[in-house]
Amino acid sequence: MRYTSTRGQTPALSFSDAVATGLAPDGGLFLPETLPAFDAAQLARFDALKNDYAGLCFEFLRHFATDIPEETLRAIIAKSYTTFSVPEIAPLKQLSPDLFVLELFHGPTLAFKDFALQVLGNLYEHQCRVRGESINVLGATSGDTGSAAIHGLLGKPGTAIFILYPDGRTSPLQERQMACTGAKNVFALAIDGTFDDAQSALKDVFGDQEFRTRYHLSAVNSINLARVLAQCVYYLSAWLRLPEGARASAEFVVPTGNFGNVLAGWMLQKMGVPIRGFKVATNQNDILHRLFTTGEYSVADVRPSLAPSMDIQVSSNFERFLYYSLGRDTARVREVMSTFKTTGRYVFENFDRDTFSASRCDDAEIPGIIKRVYQDFGYIVDPHTACAFKDLSRDRASVVLATASPAKFPDTIREAIGMEPTDPALEILKARPLVKHKINADPAAIKAFITANAV
């Protein structure tokens, strides 16, 4: 299978080359030339693996990573899920007859990003070994992506990882997961400003083709295709494990800011898995809520919140959604993205609201939702997952994606229910020194830092 850019001005690449490249040289995002169409026979093969997460992941990804020998791919995936703390990898908990929670926080950094970034880290390690080349990985994060990316590459030979994050706008424990590893190949870069400032600077760095080639620079954000494809698997796993009566009607409720999480489920639906629909749950930074309720995609100011991983206004994966929505017309994608960059606004002319719905949750509501969920079900949710519990449908089954451990946000949980959840991995971090590098969200400053520390 080959991979093309959403902007249509980059030659098609293999899976491994698309992963190594990250952001396409024309500024677009890679997608498969054609999506596979899973028929009844393939869905049956998936169903037989519904209780074997690594096996299911291999069976899915082998349709995409066609340039990697299957036994090698199988070993990479098997290794990736040995770092999870529960045998189910992604437990599906039933809270009521029509309410399920998909727990995606049992990886090494206690967040859903581990599902893709453990795989991506091992893919990078494989590529460095096979090609005899080093790789420098650059990412921007609003919270969980950075720590998950770092823990996917901790100490791996031939790699260095540079993560930009908004100083003071992640939770203290999220910052410690990035800046207290002690690994010599990890650089936590704290910028003044927002995640969107970091993401914009990152894209400018990748736009310097000579620089990115010289330093074998690759992207670790959800702009990297491997991130989205690996995240498809937990939707597939959950859908297969739902009771038969719930499969046809279930709606996945997804806390999201950068749109990569829900895009993965939507792409799986486009491949033929009959998922009913998706509800996008935002915090007070509600660009996606406005998109799916009005058809207008427009930027507003970012306001720090209790759910910091969703403090985003420019959603990286919007361009992939746009590409499919415009019938894969790359010229139109270039036109729309150019207009959006200039005006900060785009309005869909014909917007399909059958698949997507949305909700919005202010900071003032989050502690009350956490308290209500605990009182009703004896279940503790983190602030991001709490946003997904607002205005749940009464007409169908709901599968809420629990995207992070509540232990990462102890202050908010304590305020809501008078308890402070803990996790041993986080307690260890509290005693370690914080090593972060203050840097301007300026492409020249970032390139200078990479130049001084690249492998």
Side-chain angles (χ1 to χ4, degrees), residues 94-100 246 392-399:
Q94 186 167 7
L95 301 188
S96 74
D98 58 357
L99 178 59
F100 302 82
L392 288 175
S393 172
R394 298 180 183 276
D395 300 327
R396 61 179 67 95
S398 296
V399 182

Side-chain angles (χ1 to χ4, degrees), residues 14-322:
S14 68
F15 174 80
S16 294
D17 285 337
V19 169
T21 303
L23 184 69
D26 61 8
L29 306 180
F30 286 111
L31 282 168
E33 285 185 322
T34 59
L35 291 175
F38 296 137
D39 58 15
Q42 180 59 62
L43 291 178
R45 286 191 287 273
F46 288 146
D47 191 68
L49 295 165
K50 63 185 177 184
N51 295 315
D52 174 9
Y53 194 91
L56 180 66
C57 187
F58 166 74
E59 179 62 26
F60 178 80
L61 287 182
R62 73 177 183 85
H63 294 274
F64 300 92
T66 53
D67 61 329
I68 299 177
E70 288 200 347
E71 287 310 304
T72 301
L73 180 64
R74 189 188 295 275
I76 287 171
I77 292 169
K79 179 181 178 181
S80 299
Y81 293 108
T82 60
T83 57
F84 283 64
S85 61
V86 294
E88 307 98 313
I89 308 300
L92 183 66
K93 302 289 182 67
Q94 186 167 7
L95 301 188
S96 74
D98 58 357
L99 178 59
F100 302 82
V101 174
L102 181 62
E103 292 186 346
L104 300 177
F105 52 77
H106 296 288
T109 70
L110 312 180
F112 80 97
K113 309 289 179 73
D114 289 321
F115 279 82
L117 287 165
Q118 286 294 300
V119 174
L120 184 57
N122 288 321
L123 284 171
Y124 281 143
E125 182 180 36
H126 167 71
Q127 289 179 356
C128 289
R129 183 172 59 250
V130 169
R131 299 181 180 191
E133 297 176 344
S134 60
I135 192 167
N136 293 288
V137 177
L138 176 62
T141 187
S142 55
D144 288 328
T145 289
S147 56
I150 284 168
H151 283 260
L153 285 170
L154 274 181
K156 291 191 182 297
T159 69
I161 181 165
F162 305 85
I163 295 295
L164 303 164
Y165 68 97
D167 196 22
R169 295 195 179 206
T170 64
S171 81
L173 287 174
Q174 284 176 319
E175 182 178 47
R176 285 196 163 274
Q177 285 184 312
M178 293 185 282
C180 298
T181 67
K184 293 182 179 180
N185 70 328
V186 170
F187 301 93
L189 308 182
I191 68 157
D192 289 325
T194 68
F195 166 79
D196 292 314
D197 297 324
Q199 182 82 318
S200 177
L202 176 148
K203 288 187 175 182
D204 284 344
V205 172
F206 276 101
D208 184 337
Q209 299 305 317
E210 189 277 331
F211 183 84
R212 82 188 273 179
T213 300
R214 188 195 328 158
Y215 290 103
H216 299 116
L217 204 62
S218 187
V220 76
N221 290 52
S222 56
I223 58 179
N224 195 304
L225 177 71
R227 284 277 308 275
V228 177
L229 292 177
Q231 289 174 189
C232 292
V233 180
Y234 52 70
Y235 285 94
L236 178 60
S237 172
W239 181 80
L240 291 168
R241 287 178 289 146
L242 284 171
E244 287 290 340
R247 278 190 187 180
S249 65
E251 177 180 66
F252 283 83
V253 189
V254 188
T256 188
N258 217 12
F259 199 57
N261 195 358
V262 73
L263 178 77
W266 183 68
M267 285 180 61
L268 186 69
Q269 183 194 62
K270 290 178 70 68
M271 296 174 207
V273 179
I275 296 172
R276 167 65 183 83
F278 305 91
K279 184 176 182 180
V280 171
T282 73
N283 64 4
Q284 59 198 25
N285 295 294
D286 61 354
I287 186 170
L288 294 176
H289 175 259
R290 288 182 278 117
L291 169 64
F292 289 113
T293 53
T294 70
E296 179 177 322
Y297 185 71
S298 58
V299 174
D301 291 335
V302 175
R303 292 187 290 157
S305 79
L306 296 176
S309 294
M310 299 194 294
D311 290 348
I312 295 168
Q313 282 295 327
V314 181
S315 302
S316 300
N317 279 281
F318 169 70
E319 185 166 337
R320 285 189 170 111
F321 179 67
L322 181 69

Side-chain angles (χ1 to χ4, degrees), residues 378-437:
Y379 191 81
I380 303 175
V381 295
D382 83 286
H384 305 79
T385 306
C387 294
F389 275 85
K390 182 178 178 182
D391 298 332
L392 288 175
S393 172
R394 298 180 183 276
D395 300 327
R396 61 179 67 95
S398 296
V399 182
V400 171
L401 271 60
T403 53
S405 168
K408 298 182 78 167
F409 307 93
D411 294 343
T412 303
I413 304 302
R414 185 173 56 250
E415 176 191 346
I417 61 174
M419 296 170 56
E420 185 171 320
T422 60
D423 186 277
L426 297 177
E427 295 304 306
I428 291 171
L429 290 177
K430 293 178 181 178
R432 291 182 178 174
L434 196 70
V435 180
K436 65 180 181 179
H437 307 271

Side-chain angles (χ1 to χ4, degrees), residues 351-385:
F351 195 65
D352 177 12
R353 292 188 176 84
D354 290 339
T355 299
F356 288 103
S357 61
S359 63
R360 178 188 187 279
C361 190
D362 286 325
D363 261 15
E365 299 174 280
I366 288 175
I369 294 173
I370 294 171
K371 182 177 181 178
R372 174 173 56 80
V373 172
Y374 183 65
Q375 288 176 337
D376 290 351
F377 306 110
Y379 191 81
I380 303 175
V381 295
D382 83 286
H384 305 79
T385 306

